[in-house]
Amino acid sequence: MRHISIRTRLVLSFSIVILVGVLLSAFVGIRLIGNTIIRQAQGKVRLDLNSAWEVYKGQSENIKDVVRLTAVRFFMKDAVSKNDRERLWRELQKIRESESLDILTLIDGEGRVLVRARRPDLFGDPLDNDIIEYVLINEREIVSTQIITEEQLQKEGGDLASQARMKLIPTPKAKPRPEAEETSGMMIIAAAPVYDYHGDLIGILLGGKLLNRDYEIVDRVKDIVYRGETYQGKDIGTATIFQGDLRIATNVLREDGSRAIGTRVSEEVYDQVIGQGAPWIGRAFVVNDWYITAYEPIKSLQGEIIGMLYVGMLEAPYLDLRNRVLFIFLGIALLSVILLSIIAYFTTAKVVRPVRQLLFATEKVADGNLSHRLPIQSRDEMGQLAASFNRMTEELQKATEGYHMLTRTLEDKVREKTEELKATQDQLIQSEKLTSLGKLAAGIAHEINNPLTSILINSHLIAEKLKSDDRFKENLELITDETARCSTIVKGLLEFSRQTQPEKRLTDVNKVVDKTLLLLRSEALAHKVRIHKALDSALPDIMIDGNKIEQVFTNVILNALEAMPTGGDLFISSRILSEDQLVAVSFRDSGCGISQENIGKIFDPFFTTKERTGTGLGLSVSYGIVQQHGGRIEVQSQMEKGTTVTILLPANNTRGQNSKTGR
Amino acid sequence: MQAKVKILVVDDELPVCRSISSALEAEGRLIDTALGGEEALRKEEENEYDIMLVDLMMPGMSGMDLLKAVKEKRAEVVVVMITGYPTMDTAVQSVKLGAFDYIPKPFTPDELRSIVSRALERRRLYEQKIASAEKPGEEESAEPGLPKNLYCIPDHCWAKVEGDGTVRIGVHDIFLMTIKDISSIDFPYENEKVGQGDACLWVVDARGNLHRMWSPVSGQVISINEELKEDYSQVMRDPYGSGWLLLIKPASLEDDLKNLAPLVLE
């Protein structure tokens, strides 16, 4: 799930919620609508069945009325009383035809047939059924639906039996029946008593209409209730009269367009309606289509269930209506989902974009780029987040910069201090060396002075006593000379050890250089050295002990001259190093140079390359003097090229700093 | 002649004492040695020496203390200090405190004899003065109203601070009296540097003795009195005027003056 972006997840979950909601409401809606439609249809079917019953009963009443009114006619009383069969037949035949009854039969008081309207030739046979019995007992008219056997039908008239006879068409779902055809018929029969003028019962008149293949009722039901409406070439409304489970009159059509008589009702309906006598209302597959149906039992006079009355509405229009509603509903739902998803997409984009920017920014910060800033696009929480992120990175940047600066400063400081420390350490070592050596030298010099004094005096005294041509005279002179040299060395040593505090005054360094050169001019000439001066006339006066610095310059120049035994050039320059507040005086010779090995030792006391001529103290003393001034001596040298000695003296000494404040 | 000249040599090292003694041995001289300040004081009390040669650096009682003690008792004793080089300041100071002169180690018998001959002359001057006034002249303090720019290493040389900051130096009349006459003067070069208490010139007397003259100030020689080269007697005639010797540009005048005494002209 990790690789799915927030945005997709948001849109997905949004869409899922919408989809579920829409589907749920669609499902409930469809169920509600479907049920309502079906229930309404069923309610209508129930009403239609009532209408059908009205038609059926109207027919029954009509037959009963015909029979009752005919029974009370005078010609009946007269003709029965007179046993005028001819007249009866004529009259009854007339009535039967005009009222389109299938049978009209008169029975005498003993239950024998007096006359049959359709068969004048057959009479005198007993006729007994439930209706006649009812009339005999109750002496009043009655109408009912009765099953009439084939035998009876044949008695009533030849063609009635064949009208009723019906081949059973095999019907799926129907309850299996052993016989192949139905021979009896179902008839609406009415009976009424016939009285003579005295009011005595003299006969019973029977009138009936065979329902088999008589489509009057069902078509009237269709016309009245459904007004012949059709749906895709099919009648919406249908009505059927069943004899038992057999369709005997119907306007349900088979595929070939013929009426579906001879087919049977499904076993399910049969069991409920005929078996249990309860009405059936609901979906049913009728012949070849689904219908919303209502069945009710048709009972005989004795209450026996002999058939059913059915009305049905084609289910298809309702289903189509329901489907249409369903599609509309689903369409709306789908449209909503799409629309909401799009809205979600753009809404989440608004949320997700700043999140992405934030993500990008945090990655940058993680990579160390602290200068990246988020654009502030809104004033909502995202905007505030961006602002606070910016503030955070800004602080972080500041802190980091401060940290870096601190580190840099610290590094610089450490480096600077280390260098300073090293320089100080070097100086300390050098000055320590000088101090201890100075003390040593002073001690040695003082101790040596005494024996030297004795040697000097005594050797002189001996020399005084010797004759001028004495052979030891020369030896003695050697002793006195060497003692004098010792004395000179000791003097140098003492000079070195006697490094008194400099007495500083504001002095022009250039003048010190000039003074030094004045003294050494003849020396330089002797060495065939040309001196080139480049003194900066803008040098400030600095606090130095002119005499001591002159001593330093003298030492340096003498060394330079010594380095050029066959002549050369000595360049002397002075300048101010303003950034270091130093005055620099450089002495560059074109002499033999100092070896790398020796360059570290030149300031060491007693270090000399001059063998017998030097004490090795000149530069050491110079070093001490310069150090006492807070300055330093730098030496650069290249073998056979020359040496540059630079004396650096601080230029920021104030007048107040003089010998008294120093140690 | 009168009684023998009594000389005491004080040095903590016996060989040095003996060397000096043998260098000074001569007719009419009695030379004693002492190996320390205390011993010297004891002997001085016994013998009342005319001249004392005292080493400045000694263990125990220092030469300076000995000088003070002796001068306190007997101002007319001529004390010559023997110094090591590092004690040059002290040497000059010792002269201010009453020493006649000083001689740095190591020295030759001639140098020693020169200074001792001058010391003897000085001793003789004292005796004459004691005979006449009973008081050494230079002990008199500076009189008020005297110019403040005149200083000296007592009995040795003088220094006059000129208006332009340079210092004119010359030789003290007592110094002249101790050498009696000048046959020549060995001058320094111009621009040569001198330190206070260092020899700045040599005076050769009639007998050929070399006498060092200490410079009263540190500095650089600006010029020398060329006129004197033709007639050295000028120095004898007018030691504080036309007999001046050198003109020096001082290096550290203020500090130098502390070691000097004011010059009193009679």
Side-chain angles (χ1 to χ4, degrees):
Chain A
M1 282 301 277
R2 205 173 302 158
H3 60 280
I4 296 175
S5 70
I6 287 183
R7 187 179 186 175
T8 315
R9 255 192 267 183
L10 275 176
V11 173
L12 267 179
S13 50
F14 213 75
S15 302
I16 286 167
V17 168
I18 294 164
L19 203 65
V20 166
V22 165
L23 285 180
L24 206 70
S25 65
F27 178 74
V28 170
I30 287 163
R31 282 296 294 264
L32 274 173
I33 290 168
N35 286 350
T36 307
I37 288 171
I38 299 300
R39 212 167 31 248
Q40 276 189 348
Q42 286 173 345
K44 187 171 186 302
V45 164
R46 194 192 301 270
L47 287 174
D48 291 349
L49 187 61
N50 289 344
S51 303
W53 274 123
E54 287 308 312
V55 172
Y56 189 88
K57 279 174 185 161
Q59 185 75 349
S60 299
E61 287 302 313
N62 192 31
I63 293 168
K64 192 175 87 175
D65 286 346
V66 169
V67 170
R68 183 175 54 90
L69 290 174
T70 306
V72 296
R73 294 231 340 232
F74 291 111
F75 82 87
M76 288 290 286
K77 297 179 198 267
D78 293 342
V80 171
S81 304
K82 288 167 185 169
N83 204 14
D84 186 354
R85 196 167 280 141
E86 183 63 33
R87 188 181 167 199
L88 276 172
W89 175 73
R90 248 192 343 268
E91 288 295 330
L92 288 179
Q93 179 64 11
K94 227 176 350 189
I95 291 163
R96 187 196 70 85
E97 276 177 0
S98 68
E99 297 297 332
S100 65
L101 293 175
D102 285 325
I103 59 165
L104 194 59
T105 301
L106 185 65
I107 300 160
D108 65 11
E110 274 88 44
R112 281 190 291 270
V113 175
L114 273 178
V115 65
R116 285 188 170 92
R118 298 190 75 156
R119 280 187 72 176
D121 58 307
L122 188 62
F123 57 89
D125 57 308
L127 187 66
D128 185 26
N129 59 29
D130 297 339
I131 292 181
I132 294 168
E133 256 172 54
Y134 178 90
V135 173
L136 285 175
I137 290 160
N138 296 300
E139 287 193 10
R140 52 168 305 190
E141 68 279 357
I142 181 79
V143 68
S144 175
T145 308
Q146 297 291 113
I147 298 294
I148 309 298
T149 62
E150 187 188 15
E151 184 192 2
Q152 200 114 37
L153 285 172
Q154 278 172 346
K155 280 183 187 170
E156 292 304 325
D159 60 334
L160 280 179
S162 59
Q163 186 187 336
R165 181 186 298 264
M166 211 167 276
K167 271 200 164 155
L168 298 184
I169 295 168
T171 310
K173 292 188 182 178
K175 191 175 183 173
R177 273 171 72 163
E179 61 272 29
E181 59 176 10
E182 177 65 58
T183 52
S184 58
M186 196 164 79
M187 192 176 274
I188 300 170
I189 295 180
V194 179
Y195 297 101
D196 64 7
Y197 292 110
H198 308 291
D200 294 330
L201 182 81
I202 52 170
I204 294 163
L205 185 63
L206 278 172
K209 213 165 159 58
L210 187 64
L211 291 170
N212 300 44
R213 290 197 175 91
D214 181 354
Y215 306 119
E216 196 191 342
I217 291 172
V218 291
D219 285 350
R220 264 180 66 193
V221 169
K222 191 178 87 176
D223 288 342
I224 289 166
V225 178
Y226 299 109
R227 283 171 228 96
E229 274 180 52
T230 59
Y231 184 76
Q232 292 171 349
K234 280 185 180 169
D235 289 322
I236 286 175
T238 55
T240 301
I241 296 167
F242 289 88
Q243 178 185 341
D245 64 348
L246 181 69
R247 286 190 181 83
I248 53 170
T250 183
N251 42 34
V252 176
L253 300 180
R254 284 217 297 268
E255 256 107 47
D256 58 6
S258 63
R259 294 178 189 257
I261 50 172
T263 60
R264 295 188 297 143
V265 79
S266 66
E267 190 175 5
E268 199 183 2
V269 177
Y270 176 86
D271 285 345
Q272 181 164 337
V273 181
I274 296 183
Q276 298 169 29
W280 168 280
I281 292 166
R283 287 181 84 218
F285 190 80
V286 178
V287 184
N288 51 17
D289 221 335
W290 282 98
Y291 284 82
I292 299 161
T293 60
Y295 294 83
E296 268 186 19
I298 298 171
K299 292 176 182 173
S300 68
L301 188 64
Q302 286 77 27
E304 190 189 345
I305 295 165
I306 52 170
M308 296 183 294
L309 183 63
Y310 149 91
V311 284
M313 285 189 297
L314 205 56
E315 199 187 25
Y318 290 98
L319 285 181
D320 287 349
L321 177 66
R322 199 184 66 176
N323 289 345
R324 209 157 45 242
V325 169
L326 186 102
F327 283 131
I328 289 167
F329 219 99
L330 281 177
I332 289 169
L334 201 68
L335 211 68
S336 304
V337 168
I338 290 166
L339 211 67
L340 287 171
S341 295
I342 290 167
I343 291 167
Y345 182 81
F346 284 107
T347 312
T348 51
K350 265 196 124 176
V351 177
V352 166
R353 197 191 311 121
V355 172
R356 285 220 178 116
Q357 285 169 344
L358 192 64
L359 184 70
F360 181 70
T362 50
E363 277 169 358
K364 287 224 154 191
V365 170
D367 289 343
N369 178 0
L370 295 177
S371 58
H372 186 76
R373 294 285 178 277
L374 286 172
I376 295 170
Q377 289 159 326
S378 60
R379 286 175 161 199
D380 58 10
E381 288 88 341
M382 290 315 295
Q384 287 167 7
L385 183 61
S388 79
F389 178 86
N390 286 347
R391 213 160 46 241
M392 184 188 79
T393 45
E394 215 166 287
E395 291 300 319
L396 202 59
Q397 192 175 18
K398 269 190 221 159
T400 312
E401 275 166 11
Y403 165 74
H404 281 316
M405 206 145 70
L406 205 66
T407 313
R408 265 202 299 282
T409 318
L410 209 61
E411 278 169 4
D412 287 349
K413 279 252 167 71
V414 167
R415 196 159 41 239
E416 205 174 285
K417 287 287 166 197
T418 310
E419 278 165 13
E420 264 178 36
L421 200 64
K422 197 175 177 316
T424 311
Q425 204 174 22
D426 289 349
Q427 280 188 354
L428 207 64
I429 288 168
Q430 192 69 19
S431 95
E432 195 67 27
K433 224 162 22 175
L434 289 181
T435 309
S436 49
L437 271 160
K439 280 178 186 161
L440 187 68
I444 290 168
H446 195 254
E447 290 308 312
I448 281 177
N449 254 343
N450 285 334
L452 274 183
T453 306
S454 299
I455 294 165
L456 202 60
I457 290 171
N458 290 300
S459 57
H460 271 280
L461 290 177
I462 293 167
E464 280 167 15
K465 293 208 169 90
L466 289 177
K467 290 171 190 151
S468 60
D469 60 344
D470 196 289
R471 60 191 182 97
F472 293 113
K473 186 105 179 170
E474 210 176 310
N475 302 69
L476 256 182
E477 267 172 21
L478 203 63
I479 291 174
T480 51
D481 286 356
E482 286 299 278
T483 311
R485 206 167 79 83
C486 274
S487 165
T488 314
I489 292 169
V490 167
K491 202 178 166 192
L493 272 175
L494 291 171
E495 193 104 41
F496 165 71
S497 68
R498 202 177 63 135
Q499 281 172 27
T500 52
Q501 280 296 323
E503 311 197 346
K504 297 176 192 165
R505 282 175 185 76
L506 270 182
T507 310
D508 182 349
V509 177
N510 288 339
K511 279 188 181 164
V512 179
V513 173
D514 286 335
K515 244 167 75 179
T516 313
L517 286 175
L518 210 60
L519 285 172
L520 296 172
R521 194 178 292 147
S522 53
E523 193 86 7
L525 271 170
H527 278 82
K528 293 173 191 159
V529 168
R530 289 177 300 278
I531 293 176
H532 311 270
K533 281 196 297 180
L535 303 180
D536 182 358
S537 59
L539 280 191
D541 287 358
I542 57 171
M543 289 297 285
I544 54 169
D545 184 328
N547 285 311
K548 285 188 180 290
I549 295 302
E550 195 183 319
Q551 195 184 338
V552 172
F553 291 170
T554 306
N555 282 330
V556 173
I557 293 171
L558 282 175
N559 279 331
L561 297 180
E562 297 279 347
M564 300 180 281
T566 55
D569 295 280
L570 177 63
F571 298 88
I572 303 173
S573 64
S574 66
R575 64 194 184 280
I576 174 96
L577 307 176
S578 49
E579 74 236 44
D580 298 323
Q581 294 272 303
L582 288 170
V583 167
V585 183
S586 292
F587 300 87
R588 178 158 61 85
D589 65 50
S590 57
C592 56
I594 306 166
S595 72
Q596 207 60 38
E597 184 191 10
N598 286 342
I599 206 158
K601 302 183 193 163
I602 57 169
F603 294 117
D604 289 352
F606 307 116
F607 175 78
T608 178
T609 55
K610 299 175 200 166
E611 302 291 328
R612 288 172 64 84
T613 55
T615 60
L617 291 168
L619 274 180
S620 183
V621 169
S622 301
Y623 184 91
I625 292 170
V626 172
Q627 202 182 42
Q628 280 175 327
H629 281 81
R632 61 179 194 271
I633 302 180
E634 287 176 357
V635 182
Q636 289 163 309
S637 186
Q638 249 185 310
M639 288 304 283
E640 308 305 329
K641 288 268 175 74
T643 304
T644 304
V645 177
T646 305
I647 288 137
L648 297 148
L649 296 165
N652 57 351
N653 279 359
T654 59
R655 192 177 287 269
Q657 267 184 317
N658 58 28
S659 59
K660 295 285 151 22
T661 58
R663 269 201 300 156
Chain B
M1 289 286 293
Q2 315 112 330
K4 279 187 176 178
V5 176
K6 288 181 280 183
I7 300 174
L8 179 65
V9 179
V10 188
D11 196 298
D12 57 321
E13 282 193 30
L14 189 60
V16 176
C17 287
R18 281 160 111 180
S19 299
I20 292 169
S21 299
S22 55
L24 292 178
E25 262 170 20
E27 283 276 322
R29 282 184 189 172
L30 181 82
I31 302 175
D32 271 348
T33 58
L35 290 171
E38 291 83 359
E39 188 189 342
L41 269 183
R42 217 167 40 242
K43 286 193 170 177
E44 212 286 323
E45 240 164 76
E46 282 173 28
N47 297 318
E48 299 201 331
Y49 296 104
D50 300 301
I51 295 168
M52 286 173 79
L53 295 161
V54 178
D55 188 13
L56 259 172
M57 292 278 285
M58 285 189 297
M61 190 181 199
S62 75
M64 198 70 106
D65 293 337
L66 179 60
L67 169 70
K68 283 182 204 163
V70 169
K71 276 281 170 181
E72 216 165 273
K73 270 194 267 177
R74 290 177 58 233
E76 69 274 16
V77 181
V78 179
V79 182
V80 174
M81 307 305 291
I82 304 166
T83 72
Y85 202 81
T87 53
M88 202 56 83
D89 279 359
T90 340
V92 178
Q93 278 167 27
S94 69
V95 175
K96 191 180 169 188
L97 283 170
F100 168 65
D101 206 338
Y102 55 86
I103 180 168
K105 280 181 191 170
F107 42 79
T108 60
D110 285 345
E111 287 169 333
L112 183 66
R113 286 175 194 138
S114 292
I115 206 161
V116 168
S117 73
R118 282 182 53 236
L120 286 169
E121 286 306 311
R122 179 62 183 134
R123 172 70 190 150
R124 206 170 358 264
L125 286 174
Y126 271 139
E127 279 168 356
Q128 286 169 4
K129 272 201 180 164
I130 289 162
S132 64
E134 293 261 318
K135 224 170 184 196
E138 107 270 21
E139 284 297 314
E140 288 173 18
S141 55
E143 286 165 35
L146 276 174
K148 290 216 167 168
N149 55 356
L150 276 172
Y151 301 87
C152 67
I153 295 176
D155 299 355
H156 191 88
C157 63
W158 55 268
K160 184 187 180 197
V161 183
E162 299 288 347
D164 59 357
T166 58
V167 177
R168 198 178 296 274
I169 65 173
V171 66
H172 199 279
D173 58 331
I174 301 280
F175 184 90
L176 290 172
M177 282 179 221
T178 58
I179 60 172
K180 291 190 176 144
D181 52 28
I182 297 170
S183 68
S184 70
I185 295 175
D186 190 5
F187 282 106
Y189 301 110
E190 277 188 17
N191 292 319
E192 198 173 307
K193 286 201 306 176
V194 293
Q196 186 187 35
D198 287 340
C200 64
L201 52 77
W202 302 80
V203 180
V204 186
D205 65 14
R207 285 159 293 172
N209 284 332
L210 276 170
H211 301 284
R212 258 182 290 222
M213 193 188 93
W214 312 123
S215 174
V217 292
S218 304
Q220 194 165 14
V221 178
I222 299 170
S223 62
I224 54 177
N225 192 350
E226 296 287 344
E227 288 172 26
L228 295 180
K229 288 183 177 171
E230 286 146 30
D231 180 13
Y232 292 114
S233 63
Q234 187 77 18
V235 181
M236 302 300 261
R237 283 197 302 275
D238 187 8
Y240 299 105
S242 57
W244 64 275
L245 297 172
L246 303 170
L247 194 62
I248 286 180
K249 188 185 177 192
S252 50
L253 186 60
E254 241 172 83
D255 288 331
D256 289 349
L257 292 181
K258 284 173 197 159
N259 295 328
L260 299 179
L263 176 69
V264 183
L265 292 177
E266 296 178 26

